[in-house]
């Protein structure tokens, strides 16, 4: 058994690395994917490729749509979508991805600190697992793929 | 032509009333729906009906799932989903609903103040219209249904 | 808002009546449906209509398929599927219906006594609510439709 | 021609081994998959990975959802789903999987002793084959893949 | 409960009338539909409306496509598809409709004399009921809608 | 039998009126719909409702998306889509609608003068009927609904 | 570009061989599949594997369902379905497969002698090509894959 | 990450070559596909393979359907559809493909000169990117696959 796992959400901490290294260390057959995690490239891609805009709205619009070519393709191909909510920013795109995955019926794992439990209750309610640490996500993937529990 | 319109998101201002009254004043054939907008009922429904919980997590979980019976049914029945982002709270459920509607291919209208443009760029990028006022949403519905422009 | 609710499972107690009367008393706009609940008719329908069989297997087969014309049509039309597990029999058809509804993405409510919690954990895990009494199901429907909590 | 076959249900006898060995002996191009068949791991996975629970209900709930990440992914990828009903336990998860596969339109093979014929009539009615022994399932797979009959 | 029932196949005997009268006599809430049963109109419609053709192939082609506007719309709207195979002609369109309904997952009832059992085995194998007389089809509809057995 | 028919394409001749009057004269149960056919409103709707734009590209973009709320909703609800290609303009939106309907599997009727046959061969190839006059479209609808041929 | 092509229908002439050899000679990247073409095995498979039946009906029923495991899997995986109608038998299973493929939206090629044109008009009307010889089917596959015309 | 990209539309300039060479030079993992771009073969394929026709209409019809076997298969397999509108011809097939991709929910990139902005506003409105040069399409693919911006 192998899994395609899309890692959505926060791009300012190393949680993706922790999960990918943990999965590799455990010898799991997982194919990870993610949005573009270079914040500047992600913000500027629309105008850098398709030409400058006068307003922030259309600059953002062009960029968001280019990013959507990548993110929707990967979410639709994923067997599991993991969405991480961090400490900063509004992170509406993370919640948007969670809703997108939920509507597709794709298994959803949410990763966030306990203080966000109430604000994320709808998102958690649609998830098959709610983790607090990236290590737990590795344990989940390990269990799903091999039936082995940690420790 | 008639439309079923689901009004998702912020529950602390009267934006739904403004839209519903405007649509009625314009004689539009629209069937509006919404989540439960009584904040306390929405938070307590799970434990009030299905029994108390020791932890906030499971209280929220039970409640979120009961609310999902309503919200998913209505979103899946809607011809148009309008999602309002207000000034307070994380509003991840609003972004979740937007992602859900986008994955279903349902036309999406987003309603928010200009200062959230950058944070909402992925949500706006998936929308067929981005409005700043509820009156604009009425104008959109009026145009979609009748072909008439405002003024 | 109105709901089509399919009441699947146990046919030997009056739980359907309790729910239907409760919903009517609360003035809810619900259209209930159910499998054929006359046990003998349900068992005999195949051979009674399409001719006798020598073996129990084919008698059951013919009957099960006739019943499926009704049950699949109603499950596919339902907004909510409620599945009741009682005290007697194997009730594999109830679990089958729950799996069918889950795969369709239809909101699922499960109704059973606490002693079946462990045996029903996969079914409960796919549900948006797990109730112990038919009165709780009425309360759920009331909340979903009106936003009102009991009491 | 190759087939992905998901083997659902009973985890206390060696029926999966018999089928897998038989298919290998016959040189069939089949990719078998299954739920986690370690009963303890399957029961404990939720709390072992995501933290202890006070009540059996939530322990089971967490575990069932983790298992669902595996089982739904595999059922949705399967070309054929074989569901085995054994002699012990309620086995509602087996019937749930059968309903899930039926709703997806995936060919279903049911494997059970003749004494369960009446109780399983709805499940059998949705199946493309009802076998009594794992050897018959091997013969089915052999015929489907090669057109060769046994003996 | 009501049903939309599409009556496909043979157009040279009165089987549709028998079923419709029987359903009416039993007070069933069924909405019947059918292909155009005027043989000449059905054959000529393409050239009569869209202009003459030199060859039989294109005359038939134009007509078949006009008829498909009706038949596909009705089959896709039907809750149940009944397909009648009579004594004359190749009736490939009847078998085509049965395959179409099967792929949609619509419950299928087949109606034919016993001597066609072997030739129709694939079609019967996809059906939820195989009847020999139109009266049996009425009994099926009556049972599905009311739970009442004949006699 | 009734039909929902979407009339896409050319907005500068009276072809929609001819079809609607013809259908009414024939007493057909058809519910017609169409895009906004006021050319100026259709072009200006985006900026009139959601605010002015500096460039033609974004003015058009906003307008096209508002129009899509209407057109996609109606195309997805239609039983039959009729697409008219006239003598003027590029009419890429008409061909876009035809492709959209084809991908949905909705029966497609194309209406154009013979001189466009070669340029429209892919569109015609996806259609169930190719008409040259609106009167033929009325005859098609009449035949589909009643089985009656003209004259 | 590669294609999966399912060859449905007649099993008493060598048309599949002609197509497969022609495709191989042309160096085409095609993966052909077919039903079990051993007539006796196809008829007997149900009773040979799952036990004898007293009546022809249930013998046929069991066999048809086993064959459906193979045929539906292959039709659903195919990029193109070719259906051959020969000179003998009713061949309702061929027309059933054509209807099944049509409902899935899979490109359909029909292969038959000209004298069946009228009887097959509905099937031909749903096809993207109607050929008279297996060599034409090879030419079609060659053109689709390479853009090269014969000769 | 890899992408399947279908290049639809204009066949009289070298835009496909520019994109394919650019992607290769950038080391991108893209699998490009396209319609048959030999204009004469594309026009003649129907009659060359399946026999001559008296009228242009049926010649075109046969050819368009053969081409559809290729184009629909490739569009349905594509992760991204790029549609190029050139300077000549009506190019209704290009707009048809864009509508087809839009209805499938496949990310759409449109490539055209600025003077067609108004005429293509509906098509552009459904796209995730609107480019003016093939080099921009290469930059888009590069960014989507690698997160790297040009220059």
């Amino acid at each position: 058994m192998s899994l395609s796992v899309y890692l959505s959400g926060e791009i300012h901490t190393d949680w993706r690395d922790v999960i990918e290294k943990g999965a590799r260390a455990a010898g799991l057959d997982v194919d990870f994917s993610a949005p573009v995690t270079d914040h500047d490239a992600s913000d500027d891609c629309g105008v850098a490729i398709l030409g400058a805009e006068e307003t922030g709205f259309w600059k953002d619009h062009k960029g968001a749509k280019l990013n959507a070519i990548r993110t929707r393709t990967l979410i639709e191909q994923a067997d599991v979508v993991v969405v991480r909510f961090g400490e900063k920013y509004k992170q509406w795109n993370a919640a948007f991805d969670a809703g997108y995955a939920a509507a597709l019926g794709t298994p959803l794992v949410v990763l966030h600190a306990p203080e966000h439990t109430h604000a994320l209750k709808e998102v958690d309610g649609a998830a098959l697992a709610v983790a607090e640490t990236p290590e737990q996500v590795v344990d989940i993937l390990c269990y799903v793929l091999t039936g082995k529990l940690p420790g």
Side-chain angles (χ1 to χ4, degrees), chain A residues 128-151:
Chain A
L128 287 180
V130 180
E132 296 182 11
T133 68
E135 288 78 11
Q136 287 176 317
V137 177
V138 176
D139 288 345
I140 289 169
L141 296 175
C142 182
Y143 175 71
V144 168
L145 284 162
T146 71
K148 296 286 186 319
L149 294 181

Side-chain angles (χ1 to χ4, degrees), chain A residues 73-120:
Chain A
T73 301
L74 291 171
I75 290 179
E76 301 209 358
Q77 290 173 347
D79 298 313
V80 176
V81 171
V82 179
V83 184
R84 160 79 182 157
F85 291 85
E87 300 312 300
K88 297 197 295 186
Y89 303 104
K90 291 287 191 181
Q91 305 182 84
W92 283 320
N93 58 326
F96 181 88
D97 284 357
Y100 202 96
L104 296 177
T106 306
L108 180 67
V109 175
V110 187
L111 172 59
H112 63 81
E115 66 259 35
H116 291 317
T117 288
H118 187 61
L120 281 169

Side-chain angles (χ1 to χ4, degrees), chain A residues 2 5 7 10 17-18 23 25 28 39 42 48 53 57 60 63 66 69 77 87 98 104 108 118 125 134 145 147 149:
Chain A
S2 66
V5 177
L7 302 172
E10 193 203 21
D17 281 348
V18 174
L28 305 180
H39 196 148
S42 171
E53 289 298 330
F57 183 86
D60 282 338
L66 279 197
I69 298 177
Q77 290 173 347
E87 300 312 300
L104 296 177
L108 180 67
H118 187 61
L145 284 162
L149 294 181

